Amino acid sequence: MILRLATLALALAVSQPAVAEKADRDKPMLLEANRISIDDTKKQQILEGDVIITKGTLVLKAERIIISEDQQGFQKGTAFAAPGSKATFRQKREGRDDYVEGEAERIEYNSNTEIAELFHRAKVRSGEDEVRGDYIWYDAVSEKFLASAAEARDPKSITPRVRAVIQPRNKGSEPARPASRGESLELRGADTLTPTE
C-alpha cells in the first residue's frame, strides 16, 4: 500500500519546470505527513499535515496533497498550502549547479499531459530568472510557460501584472522589450536559446 502511494505521489513530484535532474527518477521517495489516508475504491490518496515529499534533489512541501488516478493509470496531484502560506517545490537542474523553485497557494500536476499549474501568488524561479503571476501554466514537454495576472477585484485598485526577470545570457545581447499589458510571455531555458550577432 505504501509503495502504491509512493508511486502515485511521484506524479505530483515531477511537476517541476525546466529540465530536472534525471538521476532523481531512480532515487527512492520519502513521504512524510501527519496523516495519510488511502481509498483504493476511489483510487485516491490524501496526505495531510506538514507534508514533505523528497526524491533525490526534489523537495515538495505542502499542508495537504491529494492524488487521484484515472482508469488509464494517469495521476493528477493537487498540493494545497496552509492559510497564509504557499506550497513549494525545489529541484536541481540537469547538468547545472542551480535549482528550479516554485511556489503558489495551490499546485496541480497531470501526469498524462505533463502540465503543471500554479494558482494564486505563483512564482517560478530557474537559476536567476524568475516569473511571478496569479497563475502560471507550464508544459514540461515543450518547456513553455504562460503567466497571467489576477483580475482586479476593486475598480479603484490597479490590476496586478505579471512580472518576469530574465538575466542576460551574454554581454553582447540587447535588452528585451517589456511585455505589453495582457501579452503572454514564452520563456525558454538558456540551453534552447541561440545568441544574436
Side-chain angles (χ1 to χ4, degrees), residues 32-98:
E32 298 178 60
N34 294 338
R35 291 169 303 283
I36 297 176
S37 63
I38 299 170
D39 186 335
D40 275 338
T41 306
K42 293 182 179 179
K43 296 190 176 188
Q44 185 178 74
Q45 296 75 39
I46 300 173
L47 294 84
E48 297 178 286
D50 196 20
V51 181
I52 302 171
I53 297 176
T54 306
K55 183 170 175 62
T57 66
L58 173 67
V59 178
L60 174 66
K61 297 180 180 182
E63 180 60 24
R64 184 171 190 243
I65 298 177
I66 300 173
I67 301 165
S68 58
E69 182 179 342
D70 66 19
Q71 293 178 349
Q72 290 78 35
F74 293 107
Q75 294 84 29
K76 181 176 181 181
T78 305
F80 299 92
S85 186
K86 293 183 182 180
T88 66
F89 68 83
R90 182 176 198 258
Q91 185 172 32
K92 186 178 180 298
R93 293 182 67 193
E94 177 66 25
R96 306 208 28 194
D97 289 331
D98 59 3

Side-chain angles (χ1 to χ4, degrees), residues 2-168:
I2 295 299
L3 179 58
R4 177 177 167 77
L5 178 61
T7 302
L8 294 174
L10 176 59
L12 181 60
V14 254
S15 65
Q16 74 285 346
V19 181
E21 184 77 20
K22 292 178 183 174
D24 287 349
R25 296 177 190 153
D26 300 323
K27 302 286 184 186
M29 180 178 290
L30 174 63
L31 305 171
E32 298 178 60
N34 294 338
R35 291 169 303 283
I36 297 176
S37 63
I38 299 170
D39 186 335
D40 275 338
T41 306
K42 293 182 179 179
K43 296 190 176 188
Q44 185 178 74
Q45 296 75 39
I46 300 173
L47 294 84
E48 297 178 286
D50 196 20
V51 181
I52 302 171
I53 297 176
T54 306
K55 183 170 175 62
T57 66
L58 173 67
V59 178
L60 174 66
K61 297 180 180 182
E63 180 60 24
R64 184 171 190 243
I65 298 177
I66 300 173
I67 301 165
S68 58
E69 182 179 342
D70 66 19
Q71 293 178 349
Q72 290 78 35
F74 293 107
Q75 294 84 29
K76 181 176 181 181
T78 305
F80 299 92
S85 186
K86 293 183 182 180
T88 66
F89 68 83
R90 182 176 198 258
Q91 185 172 32
K92 186 178 180 298
R93 293 182 67 193
E94 177 66 25
R96 306 208 28 194
D97 289 331
D98 59 3
Y99 287 78
V100 174
E101 299 174 300
E103 60 182 49
E105 291 179 19
R106 186 174 87 240
I107 300 173
E108 294 183 6
Y109 180 73
N110 186 322
S111 69
N112 184 20
T113 60
E114 295 189 45
I115 290 175
E117 296 178 278
L118 292 82
F119 297 87
H120 310 300
R121 299 186 301 138
K123 176 170 68 172
V124 174
R125 184 172 37 243
S126 177
E128 294 183 24
D129 296 341
E130 181 177 284
V131 178
R132 293 175 184 246
D134 191 59
Y135 170 78
I136 298 175
W137 174 92
Y138 175 71
D139 184 333
V141 176
S142 65
E143 295 188 9
K144 290 184 180 180
F145 287 84
L146 169 70
S148 64
E151 296 295 323
R153 291 170 174 73
D154 179 355
K156 296 178 184 177
S157 70
I158 299 171
T159 302
R161 296 174 30 101
V162 171
R163 178 182 167 136
V165 177
I166 311 297
Q167 298 296 326

